[in-house]
Amino acid sequence: MKTIIKKVDKNQIDEDVIQEAGEILKRGGLVAFPTETVYGLGANALDEEAAKRTYAAKGRPSDNPLIVHIADVQALDEIAVNIPAATEELAFHFWPGPLTMIFEKSNIVPMGTTGGLETVAVRMPSDLIARELILAAGGYVSAPSANTSGRPSPTTAQHVAEDLEGKIDMILDGGSVDIGLESTILDMTVTPPMILRPGAITAGMLEEVIGAVSVDETILGSESTQAPKAPGMKYRHYAPRARLMIVEGTLREEVLAIRQLAYEAHRKG
């Protein structure tokens, strides 16, 4: 397979390129694209076969759920049921943005997308290229990070190409991402809501909006005996071939350090 690489300027988006990428997704193909967190590997979230292609391209186990990306809040009503009241406040404060919420899924979401679970993980990215692509593809795009499973998440199109060129249909090159750290995942099917994966939206930020949240004990340390429930947390994840560095400081300083580590890992291949 020859992978098409197209540059896209988020300040002057080429609609022809976006429509071409959207048609690829509608036909069941795979398109890597930038979000504000990391580059995602996009597929039609409502297509079981597209989910299989995603897993195959990444070398990812099929019981590892995919996050469904939407471009407007109303789209949530089609893919989720029994949506908690607190969702509205969270969406108002953090969508579009780096927060993924988990809900009970509706029947239109295939088990291939959810990794065999009756729940669906949903996010609305703030990146303009991502949102235009989602709309062009029909409104529902599943998108794990666009890298070989176990490798650092990509923050540039070059990182994506190093891992996936020849395995996917297209890469939209929108330059470097803004954050470089994957989204926070919050399970809305439990009370209080539970953080399953830490990210740029912290527990304190969530609690300012909805009150108490809990944290999945499997992400707190190696002493837990339970298996993680979040996308990307079940198997060995993010294994850069680089030195270990511990960072203390502000969230921004921590994120910049993580981005630097990922960059170094890709350079060393």
Side-chain angles (χ1 to χ4, degrees):
M1 176 187 295
K2 179 176 175 56
T3 300
I4 303 166
I5 301 177
K6 294 284 184 77
K7 287 189 175 294
V8 183
D9 182 352
K10 66 182 63 180
N11 297 313
Q12 191 174 0
I13 295 177
D14 187 329
E15 291 299 330
D16 289 338
V17 172
I18 295 297
Q19 289 302 316
E20 180 182 358
E23 288 301 318
I24 290 173
L25 293 178
K26 287 179 179 178
R27 295 196 301 267
L30 304 179
V31 176
F33 63 96
T35 76
E36 74 278 16
T37 56
V38 299
Y39 271 72
L41 179 56
N44 180 352
L46 307 184
D47 182 344
E48 188 96 38
E49 293 303 313
K52 292 179 182 178
R53 294 187 189 99
T54 302
Y55 294 126
K58 283 179 62 68
R60 176 179 176 134
S62 61
D63 60 347
N64 209 347
L66 308 173
I67 295 175
V68 178
H69 291 59
I70 60 176
D72 62 77
V73 176
Q74 288 72 30
L76 180 62
D77 294 332
E78 296 296 318
I79 58 173
V81 297
N82 300 323
I83 300 171
T87 302
E88 184 175 354
E89 278 296 306
L90 289 168
F92 178 78
H93 282 84
F94 301 116
W95 277 4
L99 175 65
T100 295
M101 290 186 273
I102 293 180
F103 307 96
E104 295 177 38
K105 80 176 191 70
S106 73
N107 290 332
I108 70 169
V109 183
M111 287 292 191
T113 296
T114 66
L117 301 176
E118 292 292 343
T119 54
V120 60
V122 187
R123 184 167 97 80
M124 185 193 301
S126 62
D127 186 276
L128 294 179
I129 296 171
R131 293 173 70 184
E132 289 293 323
L133 176 63
I134 292 165
L135 293 173
Y140 302 99
V141 174
S142 59
S145 55
N147 59 297
T148 301
S149 198
R151 297 280 287 134
S153 296
T155 57
T156 69
Q158 180 183 354
H159 295 162
V160 178
E162 289 171 2
D163 266 5
L164 298 179
E165 189 166 13
K167 299 178 182 178
I168 64 177
D169 299 274
M170 178 181 279
I171 300 171
L172 295 180
D173 182 354
S176 296
V177 303
D178 294 330
I179 297 177
L181 179 68
E182 289 186 307
S183 63
T184 301
I185 297 180
L186 186 67
D187 186 353
M188 299 298 292
T189 69
V190 297
T191 304
M194 178 183 289
I195 295 174
L196 302 186
R197 183 177 74 188
I201 306 298
T202 65
M205 294 163 68
L206 295 168
E207 288 178 337
E208 285 182 5
V209 175
I210 61 170
V213 299
S214 61
V215 179
D216 182 4
E217 67 177 51
T218 62
I219 68 175
L220 296 178
S222 58
E223 294 182 1
S224 171
T225 59
Q226 297 183 23
K229 299 186 291 183
M233 299 294 282
K234 184 173 183 180
Y235 299 94
R236 191 182 76 141
H237 202 46
Y238 310 137
R241 293 186 286 270
R243 70 182 185 278
L244 172 65
M245 180 166 57
I246 299 175
V247 179
E248 280 189 66
T250 66
L251 175 62
R252 175 172 175 76
E253 289 168 339
E254 292 171 4
V255 168
L256 289 174
I258 291 169
R259 290 183 65 178
Q260 181 62 29
L261 281 175
Y263 173 73
E264 291 177 4
H266 273 282
R267 288 196 64 185
K268 291 181 179 180

